[in-house]
Amino acid sequence: MPPTVDTDDRPLVLIWEVTQACDLACEHCRADAEPARHPDELTTAEGIELLDTAREFGENQLVVLSGGDPCKRPDLTELVAHGDDIGLSMSLTPSGTTSLTRDVVADLDAAGLRRMALSIDGGDAAAHDAFRGVEGSFAETRRAAAHAREAGLPLQVNTTVCAQTVEQLPAIRDVVRDLGAVLWSVFFLVPVGRGRLLDPIDPERADDVMRWLADVADDEPFGVKTTEAPHYRRVKLQERDADDGLRRRGGVVAGDGFAFVSHTGDVYPSGFLPQSAGNVREDDITDIYRSADLFARLRDREQLRGKCGACEFRGVCGGSRSRAYAHTGDPLAADPLCPYEPDGYGASSD
């Protein structure tokens, strides 16, 4: 999607959590996933209706089918095929389990899947499997990545950054390169779900990691982006002086360029900001995104509070609204992971 998209009108990314069922027991799991599917999940017909409505955002609207493990749904290929048929850009974040076979990946590719995103949270099997809670997950994830490469399906690698994983990042970078991924998406922990039990890194360390990621982006053949850490853009601007491209484009944050539909149809600004603005069983996703008060407030950077509201980088960053909500209950509060102090803010706020 072009960077000039009007995020008041449509999200850059629409996530649909098709199920919370998953056979893994990941330490950071936002969904507190369990092996069994929820009886009140959106049905196939409801899911197709959701995709049809999402097409009203415009051509090539990016829709990511997430979980849990989307492969726990027997209609997954049907949903991907329908989305592709009506002009959506369909992506998928499956779990690294034995269910992601060569045939399954080939079927998804044939159905029109545009990208597959797999999670790697350790540079070797011991570190990754400990974090994922299931022995063999690292091997299965690498096997699934090989299936994607064989099918010609672009691969994205997702990684969680917290105290347990941060030292693994250089080794994970090497795995990302080895797998032939096109993008490394680095998620900075938000304390929701089982992630409340993990330790985040401190703000100064977060900035150091972002500076390192900027160097990785320069040196590696794959792209790098951050999730729930829009101040990566602030760090890049500070490190690289004026970057007209970065300054022209605002960062994507919860509710502003991003929307999340839960397995039961509730619509949130993000899966990590569980404050519902409606349900797709009652209202169109387009109406909720464009008109709901919560989304409108999140898109107005002038409403940000604390040092995020005073920050000269708020237009290109905006801070993690999910992390602000997790720590304070206020989605417009300052992001506690950011160490940057706007000029004069400390003195004026005393």
Side-chain angles (χ1 to χ4, degrees):
M1 184 173 294
T4 54
V5 65
D6 180 2
T7 57
D8 284 331
D9 184 64
R10 64 188 289 185
L12 275 84
V13 184
L14 174 62
I15 306 282
W16 174 22
E17 174 196 64
V18 295
T19 185
Q20 286 193 337
C22 184
D23 291 329
L24 300 181
C26 304
E27 293 191 2
H28 68 300
C29 183
R30 167 200 57 77
D32 286 319
E34 298 180 354
R37 294 175 60 195
H38 193 283
D40 199 32
E41 283 177 2
L42 295 181
T43 65
T44 302
E46 288 173 324
I48 287 175
E49 183 178 0
L50 169 61
L51 295 174
D52 288 341
T53 306
R55 177 61 179 81
E56 296 174 12
F57 280 126
E59 187 176 2
N60 285 323
Q61 172 63 50
L62 174 59
V63 176
V64 181
L65 304 182
S66 76
D69 182 4
C71 290
K72 296 287 267 186
R73 282 191 67 130
D75 60 354
L76 178 61
T77 302
E78 178 182 355
L79 295 171
V80 170
H82 181 76
D84 180 67
D85 286 345
I86 63 175
L88 297 171
S89 180
M90 302 298 293
S91 186
L92 181 70
T93 60
S95 299
T97 69
T98 55
S99 64
L100 203 57
T101 65
R102 176 181 283 107
D103 287 345
V104 167
V105 174
D107 287 346
L108 289 165
D109 177 60
L113 190 68
R114 304 283 186 90
R115 179 176 294 186
M116 179 179 293
L118 297 170
S119 293
I120 298 285
D121 292 297
D124 56 28
H128 174 89
D129 291 356
F131 194 77
R132 290 279 153 181
V134 173
E135 186 176 353
S137 173
F138 187 73
E140 292 297 339
T141 302
R142 292 194 64 115
R143 188 173 295 115
H147 297 333
R149 186 166 57 244
E150 182 181 319
L153 189 60
L155 175 69
Q156 173 178 319
V157 172
N158 298 340
T159 296
T160 300
V161 178
C162 62
Q164 184 174 338
T165 63
V166 65
E167 298 295 342
Q168 291 283 317
L169 289 177
I172 296 171
R173 171 206 55 199
D174 296 343
V175 175
V176 175
R177 183 196 310 126
D178 182 54
L179 293 178
V182 298
L183 183 68
W184 189 18
S185 179
V186 185
F187 164 70
F188 285 70
L189 181 73
V190 174
V192 297
R194 287 199 288 263
R196 289 190 295 266
L197 302 178
L198 294 175
D199 293 324
I201 59 176
D202 64 46
E204 289 74 20
R205 184 72 183 278
D207 262 27
D208 288 342
V209 171
M210 292 180 202
R211 281 188 282 268
W212 178 80
L213 288 172
D215 291 337
V216 170
D218 288 341
D219 297 339
E220 297 293 341
F222 51 83
V224 176
K225 79 174 189 71
T226 58
T227 300
E228 297 298 350
H231 34 300
Y232 177 54
R233 302 169 68 84
R234 184 259 303 160
V235 168
K236 288 182 71 174
L237 283 169
Q238 289 176 310
E239 291 293 303
R240 285 151 172 75
D241 299 320
D243 185 313
D244 290 339
L246 275 176
R247 290 192 184 279
R248 284 196 302 268
R249 301 191 297 272
V252 176
V253 297
D256 187 1
F258 197 99
F260 179 94
V261 181
S262 81
H263 61 299
T264 57
D266 286 316
V267 180
Y268 303 125
S270 162
F272 304 97
L273 202 172
Q275 187 173 356
S276 177
N279 190 288
V280 298
R281 284 177 164 141
E282 301 166 359
D283 297 293
D284 288 351
I285 180 62
T286 50
D287 292 339
I288 295 171
Y289 178 81
R290 291 167 177 163
S291 303
D293 178 68
L294 174 61
F295 278 80
R297 286 188 290 120
L298 289 168
R299 288 196 292 270
D300 183 359
R301 302 288 171 95
E302 298 303 313
Q303 294 202 35
L304 296 179
R305 292 190 264 274
K307 66 179 184 179
C308 281
C311 184
E312 67 270 29
F313 293 103
R314 66 182 180 275
V316 296
C317 171
S320 169
R321 303 297 96 224
S322 302
R323 188 175 296 105
Y325 181 77
H327 282 267
T328 70
D330 178 4
L332 297 173
D335 180 351
L337 189 64
C338 181
Y340 182 70
E341 291 285 338
D343 288 343
Y345 174 74
S348 64
S349 61
D350 289 339

